Structure formats: structure tokens, C-alpha cells
Amino acid sequence: MNDRAEKRRVLTAEDLTYIGQRLRILDPYGGVKPWDRDRLWAAVLDVQLEAETRADRETFRELVGALRVLDVLDRHFLRK
């Protein structure tokens, strides 16, 4: 293993669970604890399907933004 790989920071699923719990916007949706990316995305997409007002659509956009950040962390730092 080279030095760069050894120094790479990694996260665990527990770390992502902690980060997801700290994002209060994700509280009402399943998939945060334990960390389940697919279940969380499914819950957020349900929000879009049920959105009736402008506020609902704005909430959906905020949720997608939060999930995109978590996906980047998952993709680049989660220990597989």
C-alpha cells in the first residue's frame, strides 16, 4: 500500500448515521439509523410524489441537497 492510500481518511456507516442524525431535516425519514442510503432516498422521493404546495417542493429540494452531500461522503470516504 502506498503512503497516499494509508493517509486517506475513511468513514464508517456509523459515522454517516451520526452525520445524518445531526441533520435535523432528515429526522422524519427512515434510513438514517441504521444508515441505509437506498431507503433514505426512497423516503425523500416519496416527499416529491406527495408534494402539493410550494413549501413541500422546497422541502424536497433541501432534502435532495442534503442527500447529495451525504452521497459524496459515502462515495469518497466510506470504508467499503
Side-chain angles (χ1 to χ4, degrees):
M1 207 181 256
N2 62 27
D3 289 334
R4 185 176 179 194
E6 290 178 25
K7 292 179 182 177
R8 182 177 174 188
R9 294 183 183 189
V10 294
L11 295 173
T12 63
E14 291 80 22
D15 296 329
L16 283 177
T17 297
Y18 176 76
I19 294 167
Q21 287 175 324
R22 301 294 292 173
L23 296 172
R24 298 289 181 215
I25 193 170
L26 298 176
D27 280 347
Y29 308 101
V32 174
K33 186 174 181 177
W35 182 251
D36 186 350
R37 177 188 175 277
D38 295 334
R39 187 171 158 214
L40 190 53
W41 269 104
V44 170
L45 291 175
D46 284 342
V47 170
Q48 180 189 23
L49 293 174
E50 297 172 3
E52 295 179 354
T53 66
R54 181 179 217 154
D56 293 342
R57 291 188 294 275
E58 182 62 31
T59 298
F60 168 72
R61 286 190 288 275
E62 289 175 3
L63 288 167
V64 168
L67 289 180
R68 284 183 178 169
V69 170
L70 290 171
D71 277 349
V72 167
L73 292 174
D74 187 349
R75 202 176 19 228
H76 294 288
F77 297 105
L78 186 68
R79 185 179 343 171
K80 303 286 182 183

